[in-house]
Amino acid sequence: SQKIEQNSEALNIQEGKTATLTCNYTNYSPAYLQWYRQDPGRGPVFLLLIRENEKEKRKERLKVTFDTTLKQSLFHITASQPADSATYLCALRPYGNNRLAFGKGNQVVVIP
Amino acid sequence: GAGVSQSPSNKVTEKGKDVELRCDPISGHTALYWYRQSLGQGLEFLIYFQGNSAPDKSGLPSDRFSAERTGGSVSTLTIQRTQQEDSAVYLCASSSGLAGGVGGELFFGEGSRLTVL
């Protein structure tokens, strides 16, 4: 069956450190992979998109990698700040399908 | 509008009643999606609209759920004879491009929280 797996345990990290989240997928062949941020009681907000032929994508303090051999994406927040505390979701759309499938998300807590 | 608007933001209803949830997407966005998010769970796809037609409604949990979109804009999700397991946050999103691809990032509303007593 198709799965998108993210760590269910919250990541507690000291302010200023780099937070790294993992997204693993099974039985998908996505052309693109996206990352979203969700705050409590709010809808998800798009952060970054990476294509299958891109190894790495950066946006400000965010970095995403995409390894189609390992079927894995890593999401990094460098120089983390308390305002980065949220749940981060990975999402992908397989070929021939118009729906975006989401992982359950991984919570990040940045400790001042 | 500036963003995706959903109403009501909160709805408490009694088991067996019907509810309607409304979504007003970003102007010009041709694609519209409904997702459901239960406590501690991920986003569960319900239905996708391209214009007024729904090419993919395979995520609707039962025939008590239906949705329509009119004028290529506003969408309504209707749940008939609500059950307690329908309690969740219902999220609407719109997109200008093919979901997941370049230009296809989803813009979400704040959701409608449904509680069935």
Side-chain angles (χ1 to χ4, degrees):
Chain A
S1 62
Q2 293 178 318
K3 290 182 185 177
I4 303 172
E5 294 179 308
Q6 297 186 256
N7 197 337
S8 58
E9 285 188 26
L11 176 65
N12 295 309
I13 190 161
Q14 207 69 36
E15 181 176 4
K17 301 290 187 183
T18 296
T20 298
L21 306 180
T22 303
C23 174
N24 294 301
Y25 57 92
T26 309
N27 291 328
Y28 281 102
S29 296
Y32 307 93
L33 189 144
Q34 298 183 355
W35 284 87
Y36 288 77
R37 169 184 172 140
Q38 187 173 25
D39 291 282
R42 310 295 296 273
V45 174
F46 171 79
L47 295 175
L48 277 167
L49 174 149
I50 187 166
R51 306 173 200 230
E52 62 176 340
N53 61 355
E54 293 178 317
K55 296 295 184 189
E56 182 180 298
K57 197 76 168 282
R58 291 176 184 262
K59 178 182 175 182
E60 298 172 353
R61 293 183 295 108
L62 307 179
K63 185 178 87 171
V64 171
T65 63
F66 192 11
D67 189 325
T68 55
T69 302
L70 292 178
K71 297 188 183 296
Q72 181 181 83
S73 175
L74 299 179
F75 177 84
H76 306 273
I77 308 172
T78 59
S80 58
Q81 302 169 0
D84 296 327
S85 298
T87 296
Y88 294 86
L89 309 167
C90 72
L92 51 85
R93 178 179 64 84
Y95 283 106
N97 195 311
N98 286 332
R99 66 172 68 182
L100 200 58
F102 285 84
K104 288 187 179 181
N106 195 178
Q107 185 183 9
V108 172
V109 179
V110 181
I111 303 163
Chain B
V4 177
S5 178
Q6 290 190 247
S7 61
S9 54
N10 274 290
K11 175 73 176 179
V12 180
T13 190
E14 293 180 347
K15 178 182 170 181
K17 300 284 190 184
D18 297 352
V19 297
E20 282 190 356
L21 307 176
R22 175 189 167 107
C23 173
D24 201 341
I26 292 172
S27 178
H29 278 191
T30 56
L32 186 148
Y33 301 80
W34 284 98
Y35 285 84
R36 177 167 75 172
Q37 189 172 35
S38 303
L39 193 62
Q41 299 298 310
L43 275 73
E44 176 189 4
F45 169 82
L46 298 178
I47 187 169
Y48 152 67
F49 286 92
Q50 183 63 40
N52 290 336
S53 63
D56 188 352
K57 55 178 81 169
S58 60
L60 295 177
S62 74
D63 59 8
R64 295 186 295 105
F65 288 71
S66 63
E68 65 174 11
R69 188 179 185 195
T70 55
S73 181
V74 172
S75 176
T76 303
L77 177 69
T78 302
I79 309 172
Q80 295 179 309
R81 305 181 303 282
T82 52
Q83 303 293 312
Q84 288 181 330
E85 61 262 28
D86 299 335
S87 296
V89 176
Y90 290 81
L91 289 160
C92 174
S94 69
S95 171
S96 61
L98 201 56
V102 175
E105 57 265 32
L106 299 192
F107 293 82
F108 283 87
E110 301 291 39
S112 292
R113 179 176 296 278
L114 175 65
T115 303
V116 182
L117 303 177

